[in-house]
Amino acid sequence: MTDADSQAIFRLAYAPGVTPTKWVRVWHERLPEVRLELVQFPVLELEAALRAGEADAGLVRLPIDRTGISAISLYAETPVVVVPKDHVFTTVDQISVDDLADEIVLDPLDDRLDWPTRPGKAAADRPASIADAIELVAAGVGVVVVPHSLARFHHRKDLTYRPVDGAPEAPVALAWMESKTTDLVEELIGIVRGRTAQSSRGRNGEPAEKIKGSVKAKIAARERRAEAAKNGQKAKGAGTAKNISGRNAGSGKAKAGGKSGSGKSGGTKSSGGRFSGKQKGR
């Protein structure tokens, strides 16, 4: 068995554009014995992945259906409008929502911006994704407002972006199933909240060091079971055989002692089957 096979695994899902790098670094420092697997899911599939158990926790874009899901808000991104590099918006550092009034503003199906009233003119069809909307912007069909990180994520040489004053911010949260609030989930909560290793607590209020010890113990137990299976015996089998052997040996001694004590000479038998005291004369 390799080290990778025996290592505990925690799967962290994340939406496109979200960068978990700083939390991953802290995780590796605090829990090197638990492998953190990062899995990117499309925005519209991430919630379902959590419910299906495909990830232990996720960095999601709000809003989501909170039924059975716990979430902690982490930060909110600035919205920007993505436009061609020769667009009039590029002449200023920032635009307002009112400036979008005469533009065709694309509305992707995976958009998570919570607009009270969507600005601009609606396109004939809604793009399936922000990636598709970016392609349409490059083709000159319209503009699209997205979180800042997604504008960078879908960067193209022929496009640029500008902040939009008055547009709703794009919140990002750590989410997980309430029924699966494990010690490792609690450890991740402590990391994203900026707790120190000493102050981090598990779901039962246990220190992080105790949580680590529990994880290490589980890994060690799994390795012992695997080794026992490899040798064709259960880990506790050897101990049972030893106990049986010990009982048999004890029985043998008792019988031997009883036999030697059946002679004609008087005296008192000890627990070991031998005589104690002086023998009577013949």
Side-chain angles (χ1 to χ4, degrees):
M1 176 179 289
T2 65
D3 291 340
D5 292 332
S6 64
Q7 218 175 6
I9 299 173
F10 188 90
R11 288 171 62 85
L12 178 62
Y14 66 101
V18 177
T19 306
T21 307
K22 62 180 179 180
W23 299 310
V24 171
R25 183 177 63 253
V26 177
W27 179 283
H28 289 160
E29 292 171 354
R30 295 188 189 177
L31 295 164
E33 67 279 1
V34 181
R35 188 165 84 244
L36 183 64
E37 283 191 356
L38 298 176
V39 187
Q40 186 181 110
F41 284 91
V43 171
L44 297 181
E45 296 178 17
L46 209 160
E47 180 188 322
L50 290 176
R51 295 187 185 280
E54 296 178 42
D56 299 292
L59 299 173
V60 303
R61 293 190 180 279
L62 299 178
I64 59 172
D65 179 4
R66 297 288 291 272
T67 305
I69 290 182
S70 294
I72 297 172
S73 294
L74 301 176
Y75 60 89
E77 291 186 54
T78 300
V80 300
V81 60
V82 180
V83 297
K85 279 196 170 181
D86 59 356
H87 196 281
V88 65
F89 288 168
T90 62
T91 61
V92 296
D93 294 330
Q94 178 177 285
I95 70 164
S96 69
V97 171
D98 293 337
D99 294 328
L100 296 170
D102 295 328
E103 301 287 337
I104 294 177
V105 180
L106 302 170
D107 183 14
L109 292 174
D110 60 354
D111 177 33
R112 282 292 184 264
L113 294 180
D114 189 15
W115 293 97
T117 302
R118 183 167 288 276
K121 302 173 182 177
D125 297 302
R126 296 184 66 185
S129 67
I130 288 175
D132 291 335
I134 297 290
E135 292 292 332
L136 291 174
V137 173
V141 174
V143 301
V144 64
V145 180
V146 299
H148 185 201
S149 67
L150 282 177
R152 289 187 283 109
F153 183 76
H154 295 290
H155 171 72
R156 291 176 53 122
K157 291 182 178 180
D158 53 346
L159 300 179
T160 188
Y161 53 85
R162 290 293 185 271
V164 182
D165 183 37
E169 292 185 321
V172 173
L174 173 66
W176 67 95
M177 296 302 298
E178 291 178 358
S179 60
K180 298 178 181 179
T181 309
T182 63
D183 286 333
L184 289 176
V185 168
E186 290 286 359
E187 187 68 13
L188 181 60
I189 292 170
I191 289 173
V192 300
R193 282 183 165 172
R195 295 177 190 157
T196 64
Q198 289 73 25
S199 65
S200 186
R201 288 288 185 268
R203 57 183 168 148
N204 298 317
E206 296 177 338
E209 289 301 322
K210 192 168 183 179
I211 295 172
K212 295 179 189 178
S214 174
V215 172
K216 289 180 179 178
K218 291 177 182 178
I219 295 173
R222 184 166 59 188
E223 290 176 343
R224 287 195 297 271
R225 289 195 298 270
E227 186 64 24
K230 184 178 179 181
N231 295 332
Q233 61 182 12
K234 293 182 179 179
K236 63 180 181 179
T240 304
K242 185 176 181 180
N243 291 338
I244 293 172
S245 176
R247 286 198 297 271
N248 289 342
S251 299
K253 288 181 180 179
K255 290 179 182 179
K259 187 174 182 180
S260 62
S262 63
K264 294 181 180 180
S265 300
T268 304
K269 279 193 296 181
S270 67
S271 59
R274 297 179 180 178
F275 286 96
S276 62
K278 295 182 180 179
Q279 292 184 347
K280 292 182 181 180
R282 293 178 181 177

